[in-house]
Each structure stands twice: as C-alpha cells, then as structure tokens.
Amino acid sequence: MAAKLIKGTEIREQILEEITAEVAEIKEKHGVVPGLVTILVGENPASMSYVTLKIKTAHRVGFHEIQDSQSEDLSEDALLGLIDKYNKDETINGILVQLPLPKHVDEKKVLNAIDPDKDVDGFHPVNVGRLMIGGGELKFPPCTPAGIQEMIVRAGVETKGAEVVVVGRSNIVGKPIANMMLQKGVGANSTVTIVHTGTKDLASHCQRADILIVAAGVPGLVKPEWIKPGSCVIDVGVNRIGEKISEKTGKKIAILSGDVDFDAAKEIAGWITPVPGGVGPMTITMLMKNTLKSLKFKLGIA
Ligand code: NAD
C-alpha cells in the first residue's frame, strides 16, 4: 500500500486526551467544567445510540453532562421551553438537539432557538455566517468538517495553495468544509472547487485535486483513475452495503463502505482515510472540542 492511512480512531484518542487535560486545568484555575446537554425526543434507536455515545464521551473528558430524554409526543412549545431553560442555564455551554425530530415539530424553528453561543453543532444561521466570514469571527465550525480539517492538519498535509476538490454540497459537510478550506489560516488557504450532481465532468475536477474530500453518499463513486498520484483523499461517505455477523457480539452488523474505491485508491494516493475508522470517529470528538471552546469563550480564555 502506497498511501499513509489517516486513522480517525487514533486522532480521536489524541484529541480526547488533550481535551481531558485542558478541562482539568480549567477546573483547577476557574472552578468550572464545560457543560453539555443532549436533548432527545422519542426513541429512535439510532438517535438513542448516538446520544449515549455523546454523553459517554462527554463524561470521559470530564464534562458536566445531561441527557434530557423526552417522549415522542412532546409539543413544539414544550421543546422550545426546554431550549430556553438551557439557554439561560449558566452551567451549560453546549446544547445539542438530536435529529431527526418528530414530524409535528418544526426542526428549523427549534434549532434556530438555540443560543448561537451554545450552538456547538455550528448549524445556527449566526454560526454559518461566522464561518463564512472566518478569522476571529468563527466560533463553532460544524463537527464533521472540523474533524476533516483536523485530520488533514495532523497528517501533515500541506493545505496552503493546494487544489482542494469537495464532492458534495450539503449544508453539514460539503459547503462548510469548502468554506473552511478557503479561509486564510492554518489548515486552509487552499484553492477550492465544489462539485455536485450538476457538475458536467466530475473526473476532470477530481483528477487535479491535491486534497480530495468526498461526501456524496454514493458507494464507489470515485474511481481510482480520478485520483491524483500522491494526493490526500478524505472519504466522508458512510454507506451500508450489506450485513454480517459480528465476531465480538454474534449480532448482525452493517457492512460499511465509503464513496471511494479504497483498495485501488490506496495504491495511488499519498494519504487516505478508511471507512469505517476514518472521518466517522472525529464528529463526536469535535463536538467535545466545540463545547470546551464555548466555555473558554465565556471565560475569555479562548
Ligand atoms: P447529502 O445527501 O445531504 O449530500 C450529498 C451531496 O453529494 C449532494 O450535495 C449531492 O449533490 C452530491 N452528490 C450525490 N451524488 C452525487 C454524484 N453522483 N455526483 C456528484 N455529486 C453527488 O449527504 P451528506 O449529509 O453531506 O453526507 C454525505 C455522506 O457523508 C453520506 O454517506 C453520509 O452518511 C456521510 N457522513 C458521514 C459523517 C461522519 O462520518 N461523521 C457525517 C456526515 C455525513
């Protein structure tokens, strides 16, 4: 294999250790720890397991954490009331509403009710604007794009002047990572192209990418011949392509694949992320980093 593997599982451990140390230091100096609340409405099994993992990780790094589980029939007004309560709660620095919400609730209205200074997911329009302006304005980069940038930086990949091609224009991955990579500063300062379903010739754009970030959700979309030799390939796609029996638990688990033909691509690229174990573990990690940042902003030490 020619390419160096960028392992999200390893980078996650490094970052969580850094966060744990910083939380302990802040606790000693300022007598406070970051507080994160996760609001879950209903019993969607996937949402429940994400929330459990978020709370477990928050606990591991020494945060004050609250899991606020509500029944499926919670009214929109009651949910807005809860958000208002946590917006005013001095012990809470990050508010996360687990999506999807039940159909009777207006998701946009709920997310927009979160105080932008506690919006550690970075999806509030104020934070989208801050991201666009960049520099000192940026408070909370959305977690998956922040994880991608962190992986590129920690792998030692040069971003200044690099041709970055982003496949996908979603609000949670494609558009924000493209914006982040074109800002001035560390891990950015790149020349960025976004390609999508309306793009005429995907291959020719991908072929000139020094850094290719793929977030389309289409297994095997990126062919080996689209990859520039020596480039950095970040595969964000998580696609269920089948099922298998877990050797550990004996239970059925999903077989996952990315958007890139990994086996062929790893012989051409200089760096590549695997799926699973690549970008995936970074999202919750960056949620912790944003929550810590939120407290640091409040204390004036960010
Ligand atoms: P999305 O469906 O909202 O957006 C996909 C984008 O890809 C769209 O903008 C679309 O234009 C583009 N696209 C789709 N098919 C294409 C094609 N054939 N050619 C060119 N462009 C095409 O998806 P998303 O939420 O951005 O997620 C993308 C993938 O990343 C999914 O597989 C998702 O599961 C994964 N994901 C992983 C993480 C993580 O690992 N933490 C987080 C978010 C998303």
Side-chain angles (χ1 to χ4, degrees):
M1 167 168 164
K4 292 187 193 106
L5 261 191
I6 309 179
K7 293 183 185 166
T9 41
E10 283 178 7
I11 298 175
R12 169 185 61 194
E13 293 308 305
Q14 288 168 14
I15 297 175
L16 291 180
E17 276 174 28
E18 290 163 12
I19 294 174
T20 308
E22 214 176 330
V23 168
E25 199 183 316
I26 291 175
K27 190 177 176 183
E28 203 181 304
K29 281 193 190 149
H30 301 272
V32 284
V33 296
L36 175 69
V37 61
T38 307
I39 303 173
L40 173 69
V41 185
E43 294 182 352
N44 177 321
S47 295
M48 285 167 80
S49 69
Y50 286 136
V51 166
T52 306
L53 194 56
K54 285 169 188 170
I55 290 295
K56 218 171 117 183
T57 311
H59 183 71
R60 171 180 163 185
V61 294
F63 288 3
H64 157 56
E65 88 302 312
I66 298 175
Q67 180 173 347
D68 193 335
S69 297
Q70 299 286 334
S71 70
E72 181 83 23
D73 57 4
L74 183 79
S75 72
E76 185 179 287
D77 278 350
L79 181 53
L80 291 171
L82 263 186
I83 290 173
D84 186 49
K85 180 181 94 170
Y86 291 119
N87 278 344
K88 291 175 180 148
D89 186 335
E90 290 292 321
T91 69
I92 293 299
N93 307 101
I95 301 172
L96 199 134
V97 178
Q98 186 64 46
L99 302 179
L101 288 169
K103 288 201 169 59
H104 65 274
V105 176
D106 181 344
E107 218 163 80
K108 217 176 182 178
K109 199 169 166 186
V110 169
L111 294 182
N112 289 355
I114 298 173
D115 177 350
D117 289 342
K118 295 189 179 187
D119 167 45
V120 286
D121 251 343
F123 294 145
H124 192 288
V126 167
N127 284 318
V128 176
R130 287 170 169 164
L131 177 92
M132 189 88 181
I133 297 166
E137 290 294 318
L138 175 64
K139 280 203 154 175
F140 307 119
C143 301
T144 302
I148 294 169
Q149 192 178 39
E150 192 81 42
M151 295 177 98
I152 294 171
V153 169
R154 291 191 187 230
V157 177
E158 179 61 84
T159 57
K160 188 179 173 195
E163 289 281 343
V164 171
V165 175
V166 178
V167 184
R169 56 179 158 185
S170 73
N171 287 327
I172 63 164
V173 188
K175 280 193 267 188
I177 189 62
N179 247 302
M180 289 162 71
M181 297 307 294
L182 63 79
Q183 303 288 346
K184 276 189 182 167
V186 178
N189 226 351
S190 310
T191 302
V192 182
T193 306
I194 307 183
V195 297
H196 45 74
T197 44
T199 300
K200 279 188 187 144
D201 184 0
L202 273 185
S204 69
H205 289 286
C206 294
Q207 275 159 353
R208 58 181 170 70
D210 300 312
I211 301 174
L212 180 62
I213 301 170
V214 192
V218 180
L221 174 68
V222 172
K223 311 286 177 284
E225 61 274 20
W226 296 11
I227 291 167
K228 182 174 172 180
S231 63
C232 171
V233 177
I234 307 286
D235 191 352
V236 191
V238 180
N239 307 293
R240 287 167 186 263
I241 55 165
E243 280 184 337
K244 63 178 180 185
I245 303 293
S246 160
E247 282 176 20
K248 264 193 202 162
T249 62
K251 287 184 184 164
K252 262 191 198 169
I253 53 166
I255 301 173
L256 301 177
S257 119
D259 292 347
V260 177
D261 177 350
F262 178 82
D263 288 333
K266 71 182 189 327
E267 303 302 330
I268 304 163
W271 296 263
I272 193 165
T273 59
V275 178
V279 176
M282 296 299 292
T283 302
I284 293 181
T285 307
M286 300 316 287
L287 177 72
M288 301 303 136
K289 198 157 177 176
N290 275 351
T291 308
L292 170 61
K293 249 179 156 182
S294 176
L295 174 62
K296 286 167 69 178
F297 281 125
K298 193 178 164 203
L299 295 172
I301 56 169

